[in-house]
Amino acid sequence: MSEMEKVEATLRDMHIQYDIVHHPAALTTEDADRYIEGKDGIRSKTLFMSGKKDRAHYLIIMDESKRINIQQMNEITGDKLHFGKEENLYAKMRLAPGVVSLFGLLNNAEHDIVVYIDRAVLNEKIITFHPNENTATVFISVDDMFTFLKNIHHPYTVIDLKEPN
């Protein structure tokens, strides 16, 4: 079963309504946006980050139009964050760079990735993610994003992420 099939099967099993748009491989949100132009929903930016000496790993979900405020995230986590290494991303989520997604948590059996969600996305009804492959974009409700996290028993924290100065 492909990663995309696994994501779709999981969403169906959880009775989560979703829409999926198949498109050519997109490595950036800008690429993916070209294929989903005109569809409602906030485009997510999902970042895999690691702490000092790669001891802890974090998934940050935010509006793709925002820039990450590393200094604020360091204060929130009490750690010194950097973008996660490719080998750690694969070890923790079985994903490659360019396809980091909420749905990668399906592959994190240890539940040791700390998830932060920017409060600004809660103002939207629909949010988008890759289905662990960059050849499609999944649209789900923001409420169902939380349903997904609850159903996989993965804790999360909602934060107020400020733009960097």
Side-chain angles (χ1 to χ4, degrees):
M1 178 182 294
S2 74
E3 283 292 316
M4 188 177 334
E5 290 168 333
K6 183 164 93 173
V7 168
E8 288 190 88
T10 300
L11 294 175
R12 282 191 304 272
D13 289 348
M14 292 180 181
H15 305 287
I16 291 176
Q17 297 287 345
Y18 68 94
D19 188 18
I20 188 164
V21 174
H22 297 274
H23 51 69
L27 290 176
T28 66
T29 53
E30 293 81 20
D31 283 345
D33 282 352
R34 291 184 303 162
Y35 305 113
I36 59 174
E37 196 170 346
K39 288 192 64 73
D40 288 338
I42 186 171
R43 288 13 174 188
S44 72
K45 180 186 295 184
T46 308
L47 303 173
F48 177 77
M49 304 196 78
S50 297
K52 191 173 183 181
K53 297 188 180 182
D54 296 333
R55 288 191 194 122
H57 303 283
Y58 305 89
L59 195 69
I60 302 165
I61 298 169
M62 56 193 286
D63 183 326
E64 63 103 10
S65 67
K66 257 186 163 176
R67 290 185 16 235
I68 185 72
N69 186 330
I70 300 283
Q71 184 175 355
Q72 181 189 13
M73 286 309 304
N74 288 345
E75 291 168 10
I76 288 170
T77 63
D79 207 342
K80 186 166 175 50
L81 299 189
H82 60 276
F83 289 98
K85 295 176 185 165
E86 186 173 339
E87 58 268 21
N88 290 336
L89 173 60
Y90 190 81
K92 291 292 176 185
M93 300 180 85
R94 291 202 310 253
L95 297 178
V99 295
V100 177
S101 165
L102 167 76
F103 303 124
L105 294 171
L106 289 170
N107 300 326
N108 182 233
E110 301 85 10
H111 289 86
D112 60 348
I113 296 173
V114 181
V115 177
Y116 290 100
I117 301 169
D118 183 21
R119 185 175 309 280
V121 304
L122 305 185
N123 297 328
E124 304 295 328
K125 289 185 175 159
I126 304 291
I127 189 165
T128 65
F129 297 98
H130 282 308
N132 294 345
E133 296 179 16
N134 63 358
T135 56
T137 300
V138 172
F139 294 74
I140 63 172
S141 75
V142 170
D143 289 344
D144 281 338
M145 172 182 67
F146 292 110
T147 299
F148 173 83
L149 287 165
K150 179 181 165 204
N151 286 340
I152 64 168
H153 309 289
H154 205 103
Y156 61 87
T157 302
V158 175
I159 59 172
D160 288 309
L161 192 57
K162 310 289 185 251
E163 288 277 354
N165 294 331

